[in-house]
Amino acid sequence: MRIAQLAPLAESVPPKLYGGTERVIAWLVDELVELGHDVTLFASGDSRTSGKLHPVWPRALRLGRRGADPSAACALAIEAIAKCAGDFDVIHSHIDWLPLPVLRRTGVPFLTTMHGRLDLPGLSDVVREYAEAGFVSISDHQRLPLPDANWIGTILHGLPTRLFQPSYEPGPYLAFLGRLTAEKGPEAAIRIARTAGKPLRIAAKIPRAETAYFKKRLEPHIDGKSVQLVGEVDDAGKQPFLAGAAALLFPINWPEPFGLVMIEAMACGTPVIAYRSGSVPEIVEHGLTGFIVEDEAQAIKAVNELERLDRRKVRARFEQRFSAKRMAKEYENQYRRSLL
């Protein structure tokens, strides 16, 4: 098939540092090419792909020239796909709602993977207007706020099995990886680690909008010993960070649509201790790949029970459930259905 992939422009594909959606798109394109498809990626010009790159903006917005208008970049991306639509059998959009007015008029089958939270005002109005548009969710929980959308499937993310090498010996510290925002639970992670008597290492970026939160709520606890801030890490740095941990702490306080870091940890053989929010029960298998807990007290207890878990089985379940090849084949099936 001739497949167009329409990516966000905030980050390159794959991203230089943070960027779960763009990372998944990169893996998907690579696997689709391996399956023999002709794939064109519409993305920023600093993207790298085994498919064909159609650059629609010179550089990813977050690391590019400050002050660039995201709306201008998005307009050019939508115009690019509109001009080329007839060259493809199917168009796969990863940029939510903005392309829908154009995509419905191209006459080319299309589908949209929703990568973010859907419990926001006004989205039900969009769903009613585009009743024919097919959407793919990245977890069943993600769908709940929009039951009337035309959900054509749930496809869990996957990553290349060769990307991370597992470690079967638990490390001495607990890991936290993600944005330093209240909804991701870094304060809870600090309290859990401290009470459990384990060092905590935090690999995360500090969003500009969250600088005050970091200074007030987190920085006073970061002493470089019991709580250490590693900073933002790329894939090369993520491997030893996750593989060397006793467990990943994921004490989220929001309806997480997926949580890519959970399967990255599992790929390293590292179990996950996560709050029962959003997609967590669909990703973590309690007592096998980690522990699903309700609060800090249960999380602390779980830290003390990590020796019950077999890190080889954690890695095995990752390979069985969360490979990029499995993800690509499920999307391939959706593309074929859209052509019927």
Side-chain angles (χ1 to χ4, degrees):
M1 285 180 282
R2 298 169 303 163
I3 305 166
Q5 299 283 341
L6 185 56
L9 298 173
E11 308 286 349
S12 62
V13 178
K16 304 298 186 292
L17 294 169
Y18 185 83
T21 297
E22 295 81 6
R23 196 164 265 110
V24 169
I25 294 168
W27 296 329
L28 174 61
V29 171
D30 288 346
E31 292 293 342
L32 289 171
V33 170
E34 281 286 316
L35 290 170
H37 299 291
D38 182 355
V39 186
T40 300
L41 173 66
F42 290 75
S44 63
D46 53 344
S47 298
R48 294 174 288 105
T49 179
S50 59
K52 301 172 184 173
L53 178 63
H54 187 127
V56 297
W57 192 257
R59 194 160 183 253
L61 292 169
R62 186 167 79 90
L63 299 179
R65 188 173 61 186
R66 295 189 68 174
D69 185 350
S71 297
C74 192
L76 291 178
I78 294 171
E79 181 63 25
I81 196 68
K83 286 180 177 178
C84 302
D87 297 336
F88 302 104
D89 299 311
V90 63
I91 298 170
H92 185 176
S93 172
H94 299 269
I95 56 175
D96 298 341
W97 318 100
L98 287 176
L100 292 178
V102 170
L103 293 179
R104 78 169 358 173
R105 289 169 171 83
T106 62
V108 177
F110 70 92
L111 56 87
T112 300
T113 295
M114 305 305 298
H115 289 272
R117 65 189 301 169
L118 303 179
D119 58 338
L120 305 176
L123 298 190
S124 57
D125 298 322
V126 179
V127 164
R128 282 193 293 271
E129 176 61 36
Y130 297 94
E132 81 286 2
F135 297 103
V136 173
S137 52
I138 56 176
S139 66
D140 289 337
H141 188 276
Q142 185 195 30
R143 297 181 177 198
L144 296 182
L146 296 177
D148 297 328
N150 179 23
W151 296 111
I152 59 176
T154 290
I155 299 179
L156 301 175
H157 288 334
L159 58 87
T161 55
R162 64 187 178 277
L163 185 64
F164 295 128
Q165 296 302 311
S167 171
Y168 298 128
E169 292 298 325
Y173 61 89
L174 299 172
F176 178 93
L177 175 62
R179 295 194 317 273
L180 291 182
T181 60
E183 65 186 13
K184 292 288 189 177
E187 291 177 80
I190 291 171
R191 291 192 296 267
I192 291 164
R194 179 171 292 149
T195 306
K198 287 275 193 180
L200 177 68
R201 295 186 187 177
I202 300 172
K205 74 170 185 174
I206 306 170
R208 292 191 188 110
E210 301 293 338
T211 301
Y213 167 76
F214 172 77
K215 292 286 187 182
K216 181 178 180 181
R217 307 300 294 270
L218 301 178
E219 192 172 47
H221 302 288
I222 298 173
D223 59 10
K225 295 179 180 179
S226 61
V227 180
Q228 184 181 106
L229 180 62
V230 177
E232 199 169 0
V233 293
D234 57 14
D235 282 339
K238 198 179 292 183
Q239 155 74 44
F241 176 76
L242 289 173
L248 172 76
L249 293 183
F250 198 68
I252 56 171
N253 185 30
W254 77 299
E256 175 70 67
F258 185 82
L260 189 63
V261 65
M262 290 190 284
I263 68 170
E264 290 175 328
M266 292 177 199
C268 295
T270 302
V272 179
I273 299 173
Y275 282 9
R276 190 187 298 277
S277 295
S279 65
V280 165
E282 299 173 57
I283 311 302
V284 178
E285 296 172 274
H286 184 76
L288 180 59
T289 59
F291 296 109
I292 301 172
V293 299
E294 308 294 340
D295 52 31
E296 289 181 27
Q298 289 189 10
I300 294 162
K301 181 181 178 183
V303 171
N304 295 320
E305 294 179 352
L306 285 170
E307 61 184 21
R308 290 173 40 199
L309 304 181
D310 184 338
R311 292 173 71 101
R312 293 181 184 277
K313 291 181 180 178
V314 174
R315 169 70 187 196
R317 288 301 287 163
F318 155 74
E319 292 180 0
Q320 292 161 10
R321 300 187 64 212
F322 297 114
S323 73
K325 187 172 294 296
R326 183 274 309 160
M327 174 179 67
K329 287 183 177 180
E330 290 185 19
Y331 274 115
E332 181 184 51
N333 290 336
Q334 287 294 345
Y335 302 153
R336 295 194 189 283
R337 291 190 193 105
S338 71
L339 296 175
L340 297 178

